[in-house]
Amino acid sequence: MKEITTLEAAIAPYRQQLREHSLYQSLGSLGDVKTFMEQHVYAVWDFMSLLKSLQQQLSCVQVPWTPPAHPSLSRFINEIVLGEESDIDVNGRAISHYDMYLEAMKEVGANTKPIQDFLEKIASGKKIDVLLLETPLEAATKEFLSFTFETIASGAPHKVAAAFTFGREDLIPDMFIEIVGKAAKKNETTYPKFMYYLHRHIEIDGGEHGPLSLQMVSELCGNSAQKWKEAQEIAVRALQVRIGLWDSIEQKMAAGVSV
């Protein structure tokens, strides 16, 4: 479909900037991984809000039930929700990928208290926009989260789908496996929960999910030039805030700062 080709051409420079980001060369130690995870965990968490927003919009979660308008997309989203919200951990226990990531953070000694405090406030009813004003997060992290929830608040499935499809990374797991593997040998220890999470991330995000995500954007934009324009704008912005997040994490790593 030519609209997808046009969109991908428009975001290609940002994708290349993300792929070639100097953060990847800076990640060289377990300490760097800890610093990375303590900020990146917010992106792991807010991914689920994008996903659940799409589930609400593309499948029926209301009673009485009515058939979804896009059954193939409903199936796709529900499959991703199954894998992300209730995967199986290294011990065969049902767990979300967010909680799996949190356990991996604890395993390597990263600080999980800030994100846990953040989610406790969400659970108590604190509004996300108010919480972002009150919480002492890095500016880039706040911008990243603000973009996510502003996109969700638009109520436009094609915009949420564009952020979901084009705004997430796929380079980190392979790098982490190499770094954590080296750290394990150096420290004569193992990190089974972390390694399992990384391998599951690669396994679940690979295969047919990429093409199906593109199909989702295409189906939701249809023949609307305006929707395609908006999807492109969202895709560009999603990559820009991701690059900003990477810049911020790299600066913290260089300064030896942990949350």
Side-chain angles (χ1 to χ4, degrees), residues 213-244:
S213 292
L214 294 177
Q215 178 187 329
M216 173 172 62
V217 174
S218 296
E219 195 166 330
L220 292 174
C221 289
N223 296 319
S224 171
Q226 180 63 27
K227 285 184 178 180
W228 278 108
K229 178 177 179 293
E230 291 170 349
Q232 180 174 308
E233 291 170 350
I234 289 291
V236 167
R237 186 67 188 132
L239 290 168
Q240 287 174 334
V241 296
R242 172 70 64 173
I243 291 166

Side-chain angles (χ1 to χ4, degrees), residues 51 55 59 61 73-83:
L51 178 56
Q55 186 182 36
S59 65
V61 294
L73 300 186
S74 178
R75 178 181 177 85
F76 170 52
I77 289 300
N78 285 330
E79 285 180 351
I80 296 179
V81 169
L82 175 64

Side-chain angles (χ1 to χ4, degrees), residues 46-61 68-81 84 148-149 151-168 209 212-221 234:
D46 87 332
F47 169 82
M48 283 305 301
S49 291
L50 278 174
L51 178 56
K52 297 302 281 189
S53 174
L54 284 171
Q55 186 182 36
Q56 289 174 351
Q57 294 168 332
L58 299 179
S59 65
C60 182
V61 294
H70 303 274
S72 61
L73 300 186
S74 178
R75 178 181 177 85
F76 170 52
I77 289 300
N78 285 330
E79 285 180 351
I80 296 179
V81 169
E84 295 286 346
T148 294
F149 287 96
T151 303
I152 291 170
S154 74
H158 65 288
K159 291 183 180 181
V160 180
F164 177 90
T165 299
F166 301 106
R168 299 292 155 170
H209 282 185
L212 285 173
S213 292
L214 294 177
Q215 178 187 329
M216 173 172 62
V217 174
S218 296
E219 195 166 330
L220 292 174
C221 289
I234 289 291

Side-chain angles (χ1 to χ4, degrees), residues 20 32 71 75 115 118 122 167 189 195 215 228 231 238 243 248:
E20 297 175 356
D32 293 333
R75 178 181 177 85
I115 182 65
F118 187 86
I122 290 285
T189 188
M195 296 300 283
Q215 178 187 329
W228 278 108
I243 291 166
S248 176

Side-chain angles (χ1 to χ4, degrees), residues 87-179:
D87 200 5
I88 301 299
D89 72 3
V90 66
N91 297 313
R93 174 179 56 122
I95 189 173
S96 71
H97 274 205
Y98 163 78
D99 283 317
M100 203 183 288
Y101 193 88
L102 216 62
E103 291 190 355
M105 288 179 68
K106 292 174 182 176
E107 189 176 58
V108 299
N111 185 9
T112 63
K113 189 175 187 305
I115 182 65
Q116 288 179 298
D117 289 347
F118 187 86
L119 261 64
E120 283 179 9
K121 291 174 182 176
I122 290 285
S124 71
K126 182 76 76 172
K127 298 294 184 183
I128 184 67
D129 53 345
V130 174
L131 189 53
L132 288 177
L133 288 173
E134 296 177 351
T135 306
L137 293 173
E138 292 295 312
T141 306
K142 287 188 177 185
E143 186 176 9
F144 187 94
L145 294 172
S146 293
F147 166 75
T148 294
F149 287 96
E150 286 168 7
T151 303
I152 291 170
S154 74
H158 65 288
K159 291 183 180 181
V160 180
F164 177 90
T165 299
F166 301 106
R168 299 292 155 170
E169 82 285 351
D170 57 5
L171 299 173
I172 291 299
D174 286 329
M175 281 193 330
F176 271 14
I177 287 172
E178 181 178 351
I179 294 167

